[in-house]
Amino acid sequence: MVEAVMKNILLLVHDDEGQEARLQAALDLTRALDGHLSCIDVALFPAMVGDIYSPGIAEAMLLTDEREREGKNKTTLEARLAHEDVSWDWTDVTGNFVDGVCDVAMLSDVIVLNRKLDQFPYPDMRDVASRILMHARAPIVAMPDDCKRLDLERALVAWDGQASAAATLRACVPLLQRAEAVEIFTARDGSEKVEPTLAAEYLSRHGVHATVHIIEDGLHAADRLIEAEAITFGADYVLMGAYSHGRFMETFGGVTKRMLGNAQLPLILGH
């Protein structure tokens, strides 16, 4: 049997409140997977920072300031990376987070972002993560901005039996193989196409021996049930498929966006 691999880790770099959490998670992943870290440093074009700026000279000055900040940020982070035990490369782009990441993500195995960031004037990272997930087609790691590291020992798989959950599970086997404990959690709503026991059997063939926990609960929101189970299980992260019930419904606040907005743990999401 050919072992599944996940080697190419893509990190969004930008000097904001979530950068340290993203960097530490990317380093933890790269070391755990014996992979390669690719840093994409996005200098935000002024129009992407807010809509209050005047065009022309003011816009040019703001862009110059942004590039100078990111230049200093690059110098600082490259000095740190030079002392880390990982292989890495660096790309600079100007534009917006979504296009900047997606343009280089086609050969990435996983993308490291934030779950959300609230500080104005930067873009809503929850929306950025959602859009990158839809367009890049690689799993994303969405980190809370106050996380110090990404532990991989206890993984909760939120399983709804849909195609995106199965695709995410397959893509993330290399991560699950490094866990000490994996639980597949299902809150039945009658829409499951694949039973969680079959997902457990699939993982067992890759050397991952997961437990299965099924509950019957049609009253509470799925994201609340997942969050509660993550606490009970002592999960280090939650792995789940995104947009299982259609993008239209998610636009108006589905499970994926609520998890990105509210979850306290790192999320690994696939589509």
Side-chain angles (χ1 to χ4, degrees):
M1 180 178 65
V2 178
E3 182 181 1
V5 294
M6 180 182 276
K7 292 292 186 181
N8 299 288
I9 295 90
L10 180 62
L11 169 66
L12 169 62
V13 175
H14 186 266
D15 187 11
D16 55 52
E17 293 296 325
Q19 176 173 259
E20 185 64 23
R22 294 194 304 270
L23 176 61
Q24 291 301 330
L27 289 171
D28 289 338
L29 280 172
T30 306
R31 293 190 187 100
L33 296 167
D34 191 22
H36 177 83
L37 176 62
S38 292
C39 303
I40 174 73
D41 189 352
V42 181
L44 289 174
F45 194 74
M48 305 304 167
V49 175
D51 298 324
I52 62 174
Y53 305 119
S54 301
I57 295 176
E59 185 178 81
M61 291 176 63
L62 287 166
L63 180 57
T64 298
D65 289 345
E66 171 75 359
R67 284 174 169 164
E68 287 180 356
R69 281 193 298 271
E70 287 310 305
K72 294 177 182 178
N73 190 41
K74 177 179 181 178
T75 299
T76 300
L77 291 191
E78 284 189 330
R80 287 180 61 179
L81 289 170
H83 293 90
E84 299 287 349
D85 54 341
V86 300
S87 67
W88 57 277
D89 61 65
W90 192 285
T91 302
D92 296 300
V93 299
T94 299
N96 65 74
F97 287 155
V98 176
D99 291 341
V101 170
C102 289
D103 285 348
V104 299
M106 286 187 290
L107 294 178
S108 297
D109 296 317
V110 63
I111 303 168
V112 181
L113 307 170
N114 283 107
R115 180 176 61 80
K116 69 171 185 175
L117 292 177
D118 294 325
Q119 289 79 10
F120 181 83
Y122 299 113
D124 178 4
M125 191 61 77
R126 182 181 66 172
D127 180 62
V128 168
S130 296
R131 291 166 60 197
I132 289 175
L133 180 61
M134 291 298 298
H135 293 291
R137 299 292 178 172
I140 68 167
V141 175
M143 295 294 294
D145 58 11
D146 58 351
C147 268
K148 304 302 182 185
R149 58 174 297 157
L150 177 60
D151 291 317
L152 299 172
E153 293 182 357
R154 298 184 67 83
L156 180 70
V157 179
W159 183 262
D160 64 1
Q162 302 296 315
S164 62
T168 307
L169 188 79
R170 294 196 308 271
C172 294
V173 163
L175 291 179
L176 297 174
Q177 287 173 330
R178 284 155 178 79
E180 293 182 358
V182 177
E183 179 185 296
I184 301 174
F185 173 66
T186 295
R188 288 202 186 280
D189 65 3
S191 67
E192 300 85 8
K193 294 183 177 179
V194 178
E195 287 293 311
T197 51
L198 294 177
E201 290 175 10
Y202 171 84
L203 287 179
S204 71
R205 299 182 188 110
H206 289 277
V208 179
H209 302 292
T211 60
V212 176
H213 184 195
I214 302 171
I215 65 171
E216 305 283 346
D217 190 325
L219 298 178
H220 298 91
D223 52 297
R224 296 302 184 192
L225 296 173
I226 294 167
E227 291 173 19
E229 185 65 20
I231 293 172
T232 300
F233 178 63
D236 292 317
Y237 66 89
V238 175
L239 186 150
M240 58 184 285
Y243 303 109
S244 292
H245 297 289
R247 190 175 182 185
F248 180 81
M249 290 182 65
E250 290 290 350
T251 302
F252 295 94
V255 174
T256 305
K257 286 195 172 181
R258 290 198 299 272
M259 290 292 289
L260 284 168
N262 301 319
Q264 299 304 307
L265 288 174
L267 303 175
I268 300 181
L269 306 171
H271 180 56

